[in-house]
Amino acid sequence: MKKKITVIGGGTGQANLLRGLKNYNIDLTAVVTMADDGGGSGKLRQEIGMLPPGDIRNCIIALSDIEPAMETLMQHRFKEGSLKGQSFGNLFLAALNEIYGDFELAISKISEILAVRGRALPVTLEDIHLVAKLANGNLVNGESNIAQECINQSTRIDKILLRPSNVEAFPEAIDRINNSDIIVLGPGSLYTSIIPNLLVADVAKAIYESKAVKIYVSNIMTEYGETTGYSIYNHMKAILDHSIFPIIDKAIINKKDIPGNILQKYLYEGQTPLFLDKKQKKQILELGIEVIQEDLITIKNELLIHDSDKISKVIMDLAKKTDSSKINQSIL
């Protein structure tokens, strides 16, 4: 029977991981945040009232079996005129949404067209927005404004909230979580890609109650404004504080050094590397979370990213160990 793996998050980190996992013979699902209100997605939300397509578009493309030229087309962003900054893939989803009058059906149709391996599901079909309560007591409305306001006000995020606060989860997303063997959180923006999913009603509870092994994949670097000054432990503690439930069993963390020239570029942009020290490891272990450290990074176009093949192999190795553990328990 195929292993059922559900990846929860949003942004490029989630899509990159899906590119590796889709090469395994598994039942793969992406549960994707619907809180994006910036860029092309934000314009489509404002102008035609549809749910933000950007993150789910990236996941669909990552899961698809299409030629490089088709992927280039789907990711193409217009450079001039009223469409400047908008991606063709967003417009494709917007057209399907208008034709069928249903965002869920639009996702299903584009998945058929692009021969998707697995499922990409919105965490909710309701219109949601993020609100950040900052450490200085101020509130910031809108996902696209949060990091910049942290910079402008020289403060951190205290808590992320959803507006409205009582939105319902997409039923199939909950069903996939309930029936998963492995649930993966991240990699991705802490407060704007991962945590928003956990604030949708019943999502964190479903993760906690699932019999799946719950894995957190740590980011490689902090994000300027959103997680400036954070450690790996700070990231994990924020997830646990927002979810209420203990929803992390294992943490996968990069241990490979970052080349000096690449590191300097990120430091200049206000981002610092996320490595595990003895103090953090002790703190994480005290939470009852197993730590797994591997060489996980690669460099593409001078950008530091997780190596999708390496991180996928670590996850699949954990899946095999889980099977062995179950067999041993049944024998005993």
Side-chain angles (χ1 to χ4, degrees):
M1 185 179 293
K2 289 184 179 180
K3 191 68 66 177
K4 296 177 181 178
I5 297 181
T6 300
V7 181
I8 300 174
T12 56
Q14 182 183 27
N16 185 46
L17 175 56
L18 294 173
R19 289 180 189 278
L21 286 173
K22 76 175 181 183
N23 296 316
Y24 291 86
N25 184 31
I26 57 176
D27 186 351
L28 181 58
T29 301
V31 174
V32 188
T33 179
M34 289 286 105
D36 188 8
D37 65 0
S41 288
K43 288 179 182 178
L44 290 173
R45 287 186 80 168
Q46 293 174 8
E47 293 177 7
I48 63 176
M50 74 177 291
L51 291 172
D55 285 337
I56 207 153
R57 177 204 80 227
N58 281 331
C59 289
I60 288 169
I61 293 171
L63 289 169
S64 65
D65 281 326
I66 54 177
E67 295 298 321
M70 185 61 173
E71 180 171 350
T72 300
L73 173 63
M74 292 297 295
Q75 296 287 36
H76 174 73
R77 289 190 181 274
F78 294 89
K79 296 180 175 61
E80 303 292 339
S82 61
L83 291 178
K84 184 177 180 179
Q86 188 61 265
S87 79
F88 177 81
N90 280 0
L91 296 179
F92 195 174
L93 256 175
L96 291 170
N97 184 66
E98 189 170 280
I99 290 167
Y100 295 103
D102 185 292
F103 191 64
E104 177 187 352
L105 190 53
I107 293 169
S108 177
K109 291 296 181 181
I110 196 172
S111 296
E112 287 178 20
I113 293 167
L114 298 180
V116 164
R117 288 193 239 173
R119 299 294 305 277
L121 305 175
V123 70
T124 181
L125 289 174
E126 297 189 40
D127 186 27
I128 60 173
H129 296 270
L130 292 187
V131 178
K133 179 184 176 185
L134 304 183
N136 63 11
N138 293 335
L139 298 178
V140 179
N141 293 300
E143 177 266 344
S144 59
N145 299 318
I146 292 171
Q148 188 58 51
E149 281 306 309
C150 287
I151 296 167
N152 293 345
Q153 300 182 38
S154 299
T155 190
R156 290 188 176 193
I157 297 167
D158 178 53
K159 183 184 290 187
I160 288 287
L161 309 167
L162 282 189
R163 293 289 183 266
S165 60
N166 59 344
V167 296
E168 292 185 7
F170 183 47
E172 189 176 351
I174 294 294
D175 182 64
R176 292 279 172 152
I177 291 169
N178 287 337
N179 293 289
S180 295
D181 297 299
I182 301 282
I183 295 171
V184 184
L185 296 169
S189 298
L190 176 64
Y191 288 109
T192 52
S193 290
I194 299 174
I195 288 176
N197 294 290
L198 306 177
L199 302 181
V200 174
D202 295 331
V203 170
K205 185 171 183 285
I207 296 170
Y208 170 67
E209 292 180 347
S210 171
K211 294 180 180 179
V213 175
K214 294 97 178 180
I215 300 169
Y216 170 66
V217 179
S218 172
N219 290 346
I220 303 166
M221 307 289 292
T222 61
E223 293 188 69
Y224 185 42
E226 185 165 333
T227 55
T228 297
Y230 271 46
S231 66
I232 295 170
Y233 173 76
N234 292 148
H235 282 74
M236 296 173 68
K237 189 68 166 55
I239 289 171
L240 296 174
D241 287 346
H242 280 80
S243 66
I244 309 299
F245 301 96
I247 58 169
I248 303 175
D249 297 322
K250 303 176 188 293
I252 300 175
I253 299 166
N254 173 61
K255 67 176 183 180
K256 184 177 180 180
D257 290 335
I258 300 167
N261 61 320
I262 299 296
L263 179 58
Q264 286 303 314
K265 175 187 172 185
Y266 279 88
L267 292 174
Y268 180 77
E269 295 173 352
Q271 297 177 261
T272 55
L274 287 166
F275 287 117
L276 197 64
D277 56 29
K278 290 182 180 179
K279 179 183 176 182
Q280 286 185 77
K281 187 170 184 178
K282 183 174 183 291
Q283 289 173 317
I284 294 169
L285 292 174
E286 286 174 350
L287 292 173
I289 298 169
E290 180 185 347
V291 172
I292 299 158
Q293 293 181 268
E294 299 285 351
D295 292 350
L296 298 174
I297 61 171
T298 189
I299 297 165
K300 186 175 181 180
N301 299 324
E302 294 192 350
L303 293 176
L304 194 60
I305 61 173
H306 281 98
D307 186 307
S308 58
D309 292 330
K310 289 180 180 179
I311 189 67
S312 297
K313 184 179 184 303
V314 174
I315 291 169
M316 294 309 300
D317 285 346
L318 287 173
K320 291 176 184 176
K321 289 179 183 177
T322 301
D323 282 342
S324 298
S325 176
K326 289 178 180 178
I327 291 170
N328 291 336
Q329 287 177 8
S330 66
I331 292 173
L332 294 172

